């Protein structure tokens, strides 16, 4: 299947309540253009420089999602245009996003990345720390940052029950603070586990290799 056929397939099978972020990291702009022409508007990248180069070359109505780990000193490059920063996992980064948003006279949407996987390698705030962070309303001190919800990555495993349990844990946290923050985005699910994520409340899936092929 071609890129455009994959895009059309996902637009058809995903529930209306779920936004598809097409993860285009490492792929050439021609691949993104093909997806765009098939109706895709949300794209996810994990490197700020690569995202910025693509943003300059592609249609301006694309919504750019930074899904990778963000170095504080690079926030300024995406601050003028980024639509949603998924992997915010520390206060220092919130402060810098707020500062750069202010410099650009805008509000920047973010998600708090919560560590739900049992693996050691994944980024994200541990669940108990995330709970404190949300409870303490720390984010209220940063008016140019808008917290839209949570993001999580499940373990890379064949064990579907484990994946489901990890998605349940982030959904529980999401529900607990849903009203307080007027959350509308739970970013969970990738090529291999998006259907489990949707069963557990995902409103945004990040799908790369199943659309654009392996990297
Ligand atoms: C690369 C990446 C994805 C997409 O992964 P696929 O398995 O290719 O769908 C999703 N989320 C994050 C954070 C990623 O880095």
């Amino acid at each position: 299947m071609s890129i455009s056929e994959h895009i059309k397939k996902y637009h058809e099978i995903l529930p209306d309540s779920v936004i598809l972020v097409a993860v285009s990291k490492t792929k050439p702009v021609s691949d993104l253009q093909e997806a765009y022409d098939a109706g895709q508007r949300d794209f996810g990248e994990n490197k700020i420089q690569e995202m910025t180069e693509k943003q300059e070359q592609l249609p301006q109505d694309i919504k750019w999602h930074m899904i990778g780990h963000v170095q504080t000193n690079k926030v300024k490059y995406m601050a003028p245009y980024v639509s949603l920063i998924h992997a915010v996992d520390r206060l220092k980064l919130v402060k810098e996003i707020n500062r750069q948003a202010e410099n650009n006279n805008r509000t920047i949407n973010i998600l708090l990345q919560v560590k739900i996987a049992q693996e050691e390698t994944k980024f994200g705030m541990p669940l108990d720390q995330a709970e404190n962070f949300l409870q303490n309303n720390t984010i209220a001190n940063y008016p140019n940052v808008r917290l839209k919800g949570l993001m999580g990555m499940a373990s890379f495993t064949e064990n579907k029950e484990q994946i489901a349990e990890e998605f349940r844990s982030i959904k529980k946290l999401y529900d607990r603070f849903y009203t307080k923050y007027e959350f509308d985005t739970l970013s969970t699910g990738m090529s291999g586990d998006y259907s489990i994520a949707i069963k557990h409340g995902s409103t945004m899936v990040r799908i790369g290799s199943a659309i654009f092929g392996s990297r």
Side-chain angles (χ1 to χ4, degrees), residues 23 25 46 67 151 153 190-192 206-210 215:
V23 176
K25 60 193 187 197
N46 70 342
I67 63 170
M151 180 272 215
M153 287 170 89
M190 323 197 330
S191 292
R206 309 175 309 268
I207 298 181
S209 48
R215 291 177 294 270

Side-chain angles (χ1 to χ4, degrees), residues 104-162:
N104 285 276
N105 293 313
R106 63 180 297 229
T107 302
I108 294 181
N109 295 324
I110 66 167
L111 302 177
L112 182 65
Q113 183 181 6
V114 181
K115 180 174 151 47
I116 52 171
Q118 287 169 18
E119 299 155 356
E120 268 312 305
T121 55
K122 299 277 164 69
F123 292 106
M125 209 182 259
L127 269 168
D128 54 341
Q129 227 176 290
E131 195 173 329
N132 278 332
F133 181 87
L134 295 167
Q135 191 70 52
N136 296 341
N137 214 11
T138 315
I139 205 88
N141 299 321
Y142 306 97
N144 290 64
V145 166
R146 183 170 301 132
L147 182 63
K148 303 281 283 179
L150 307 178
M151 180 272 215
M153 287 170 89
S155 295
F156 188 72
T157 169
E158 293 296 314
N159 185 344
K160 292 200 161 66
E161 188 40 49
Q162 184 185 338

